[in-house]
């Protein structure tokens, strides 16, 4: 994603920051300790009723409100604890005069991201003000963005072989390294910031998120920060992933050789809104196609749907991304999106099971019509044809004699 512009601070603000950093904050402060019962207070205030969708089981209720189990919650707290203690936001006192514990700060931030509710509404659930919710959420985002980087990275060769094996076993596609898709994060903008770049095909102001996922719907690469008004093919070309692949520095692992001597190198699968490239395979256009092509399209769609499902799960889990954001800071929004992707991966890496009702019931980009990209690279066309031949031969060899 594009580098974020640094926000200039006045000398006065810098002095305040320096002074705040020089203060030693002890996590075992008696007031903080008194705030350790935040969950009991929150659960009592938001306890389930016969009319509410909140589960009566407390463990499931915790996951309902924060999308994660208590165990994963504790792990996230361990990642950000040092940052939240050493550089706490100002004004972390609730209405009862207690200093907010790290756990309560993390809970406030997670609830804000998970529910997409207003800061006022989230604050009321925790007994804090709107300003505190804003400060706590942003400080949490800064901390997790820095401390959880290892949860979103391109796989090493050993891990990539595992990913390719899973795609082969699940969908029959050899050398497949992932699935790609993109979604719009819709927002409103002040009149002075509106432009045709940010206005997308559905006349919404939006920012793109493009993600590549593995067979477990874990994000391997994302790009965000770009205006939603551009074509997805252009978004791809602006990404660092495209430059690495185009330069031969990514998707350059071991190839397989077909019986007729064709080389099938590593690739990812994408929809018709992406160009057909040697390392990005798209489906054949629908119409009068052969049985072999239909079989390929079916396998391709099954694999590609992982990216669609991952984005639906992401925006369903962290509903701040699925609701229309009210005048967000476009310089900070990419960090919000990235942290939601990190949380998505942490859930998978922790073996946490999301509640069944979390994912969006419809498409992650509901209301958007998929635009067809006509760009076809001759080498990509040949690669796709080789894949069809290989899959057809494998199908024939699997038939009993």
């Amino acid at each position: 994603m594009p580098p974020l512009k640094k926000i200039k601070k006045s000398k006065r603000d810098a002095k305040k920051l320096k002074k705040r950093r020089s203060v030693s904050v002890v996590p075992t402060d008696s007031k903080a300790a008194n705030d350790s019962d935040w969950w009991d207070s929150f659960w009592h205030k938001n306890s389930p009723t016969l009319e509410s969708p909140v589960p009566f089981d407390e463990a499931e209720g915790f996951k309902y409100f924060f999308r994660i189990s208590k165990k994963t919650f504790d792990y996230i707290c361990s990642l950000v604890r040092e940052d939240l203690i050493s550089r706490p936001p100002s004004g972390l006192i609730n209405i009862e005069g207690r200093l907010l514990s790290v756990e309560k700060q993390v809970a406030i931030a997670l609830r804000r991201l998970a529910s997409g509710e207003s800061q006022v509404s989230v604050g009321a659930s925790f007994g804090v003000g709107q300003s505190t919710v804003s400060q706590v959420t942003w400080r949490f985002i800064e901390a997790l963005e820095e401390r959880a980087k290892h949860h979103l990275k391109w796989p090493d060769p050993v891990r990539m072989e595992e990913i390719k094996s899973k795609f082969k076993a699940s969908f029959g596609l050899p050398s497949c390294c992932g699935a790609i898709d993109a979604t719009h994060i819709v927002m409103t903008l002040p009149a002075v910031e509106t432009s045709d770049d940010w206005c997308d095909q559905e006349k919404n102001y939006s920012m793109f998120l493009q993600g590549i996922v593995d067979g477990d719907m874990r994000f391997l690469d994302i790009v965000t920060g770009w205006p939603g008004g551009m074509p997805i093919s252009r978004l791809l070309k602006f990404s660092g992933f495209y430059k690495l692949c185009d330069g031969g520095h990514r998707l350059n692992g071991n190839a397989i050789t077909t019986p007729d001597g064709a080389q099938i190198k590593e690739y990812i699968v994408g929809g018709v809104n992406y160009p057909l490239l040697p390392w990005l395979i798209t489906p054949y256009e629908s119409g009068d196609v052969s049985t072999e092509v239909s079989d390929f399209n079916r396998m391709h769609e099954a694999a590609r749907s992982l990216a669609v499902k991952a984005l639906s799960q992401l925006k369903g889990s962290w509903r701040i991304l699925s609701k229309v954001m009210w005048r967000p800071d476009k310089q900070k929004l990419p960090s919000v999106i990235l942290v939601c992707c990190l949380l998505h991966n942490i859930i998978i890496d922790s073996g946490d099971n999301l509640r069944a009702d979390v994912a969006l019931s419809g498409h992650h980009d509901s209301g958007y019509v998929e635009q067809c990209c006509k760009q076809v690279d001759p080498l990509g066309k040949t690669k796709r044809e080789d894949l069809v031949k290989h899959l057809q031969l494998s199908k024939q060899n699997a038939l009993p004699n």
Side-chain angles (χ1 to χ4, degrees):
M1 69 185 175
L4 302 180
K5 296 180 180 177
K6 292 186 177 179
I7 302 172
K8 295 183 179 179
K9 297 182 181 289
S10 65
K11 291 182 179 179
R12 190 175 182 181
D13 290 338
K15 287 181 179 179
K16 286 183 179 179
L17 182 60
K18 185 176 181 181
K19 182 179 180 180
R20 188 163 69 243
R21 287 181 179 176
S22 66
V23 177
S24 176
V25 182
V26 182
T28 55
D29 184 279
S30 59
K31 289 184 177 180
N34 289 336
D35 194 50
S36 61
D37 62 351
W38 69 268
W39 167 246
D40 292 335
S41 176
F42 180 90
W43 181 245
H44 177 74
K45 186 177 293 186
N46 299 276
S47 57
T49 64
L50 292 176
E51 295 78 22
S52 75
V54 182
F56 281 88
D57 179 78
E58 200 166 326
E60 284 301 308
F62 190 96
K63 189 175 288 189
Y64 172 86
F65 286 112
F66 306 111
R67 302 297 188 246
I68 56 179
S69 67
K70 186 61 169 63
K71 182 180 178 181
T72 304
F73 177 85
D74 291 340
Y75 168 69
I76 291 173
C77 287
S78 73
L79 289 179
V80 301
R81 182 176 301 278
E82 183 179 342
D83 288 342
L84 296 187
I85 291 174
S86 63
R87 294 176 56 197
S90 61
L92 293 188
I93 303 294
N94 66 12
I95 58 177
E96 297 173 343
R98 296 176 180 174
L99 180 65
L100 300 187
S101 64
V102 168
E103 287 74 17
K104 188 166 183 176
Q105 291 180 54
V106 172
I108 290 170
L110 289 176
R111 184 58 188 158
R112 172 82 173 107
L113 297 174
S115 68
E117 294 173 353
S118 70
Q119 294 172 354
V120 173
S121 177
V122 172
S125 297
F126 289 92
V128 299
Q130 175 181 350
S131 175
T132 297
V133 174
S134 176
Q135 291 182 65
V136 164
T137 302
W138 179 243
R139 190 67 197 93
F140 171 80
I141 287 168
E142 286 184 314
L144 198 68
E145 183 179 14
E146 178 64 27
R147 302 299 178 183
K149 291 178 180 177
H150 56 287
H151 283 285
L152 203 166
K153 61 181 181 179
W154 191 252
D156 60 28
V158 174
R159 173 66 185 133
M160 185 56 79
E161 288 301 319
E162 295 174 356
I163 292 172
K164 290 192 289 186
S165 295
K166 185 156 189 173
F167 271 97
K168 179 69 166 61
S170 300
F171 310 107
L173 296 174
S175 295
C176 183
C177 299
I180 188 172
D181 200 10
T183 192
H184 295 83
I185 310 299
V186 181
M187 55 190 174
T188 62
L189 293 177
V192 293
E193 294 184 23
T194 57
S195 70
D196 290 341
D197 288 338
W198 293 99
C199 188
D200 60 38
Q201 67 198 55
E202 297 302 325
K203 308 304 180 184
N204 297 318
Y205 292 108
S206 64
M207 180 178 288
F208 263 128
L209 163 63
Q210 175 181 276
I212 300 170
V213 305
D214 65 12
D216 296 312
M217 297 194 294
R218 179 189 290 104
F219 288 106
L220 305 177
D221 182 277
I222 71 162
V223 59
T224 190
W226 294 100
M230 64 171 60
I232 286 181
S233 57
R234 190 179 176 198
L235 169 69
L236 173 70
K237 290 184 178 179
F238 280 155
S239 68
F241 179 79
Y242 179 92
K243 295 177 177 65
L244 288 169
C245 292
D246 202 44
H249 304 298
R250 189 166 282 185
L251 296 179
N252 57 354
N254 297 329
I256 66 167
T257 303
T258 65
D260 57 356
Q263 292 281 314
I264 299 181
K265 298 181 180 180
E266 292 181 344
Y267 60 92
I268 58 174
V269 292
V272 295
N273 47 358
Y274 282 97
L276 175 60
L277 304 171
W279 47 266
L280 202 171
I281 303 302
T282 58
Y284 285 88
E285 292 186 25
S286 58
D288 187 15
V289 296
S290 63
T291 302
E292 293 83 358
V293 168
S294 294
D295 288 344
F296 169 80
N297 275 359
R298 176 177 49 78
M299 294 179 183
H300 180 284
E301 178 56 26
R304 185 190 81 93
S305 68
L306 289 180
V308 178
K309 292 175 183 177
L311 290 173
S312 293
Q313 194 173 91
L314 175 77
K315 294 176 83 171
S317 299
W318 311 106
R319 302 238 165 191
I320 194 169
L321 302 182
S322 64
K323 297 186 176 182
V324 179
M325 292 194 181
W326 174 254
R327 297 186 175 184
D329 184 331
K330 296 200 299 296
Q331 303 303 319
K332 291 184 175 182
L333 183 52
S335 292
V336 177
I337 296 170
L338 170 58
V339 162
C340 289
C341 293
L342 288 172
L343 289 168
H344 173 96
N345 281 7
I346 288 172
I347 289 172
I348 296 173
D349 293 341
S350 300
D352 234 345
N353 295 317
L354 282 171
R355 288 175 51 80
D357 58 354
V358 162
L360 296 180
S361 57
H363 192 272
H364 62 76
D365 243 359
S366 179
Y368 286 84
V369 178
E370 201 169 46
Q371 303 290 310
C372 186
C373 178
K374 297 297 184 180
Q375 180 184 342
V376 176
D377 185 298
L379 293 177
K381 184 178 180 181
T382 300
K383 172 83 165 281
R384 188 170 64 180
E385 291 170 351
D386 289 338
L387 266 172
V388 172
K389 292 176 184 177
H390 175 72
L391 293 172
Q392 184 61 23
L393 183 60
S394 298
K395 180 180 179 181
Q396 292 173 355
N397 291 336
L399 295 175
N401 295 326

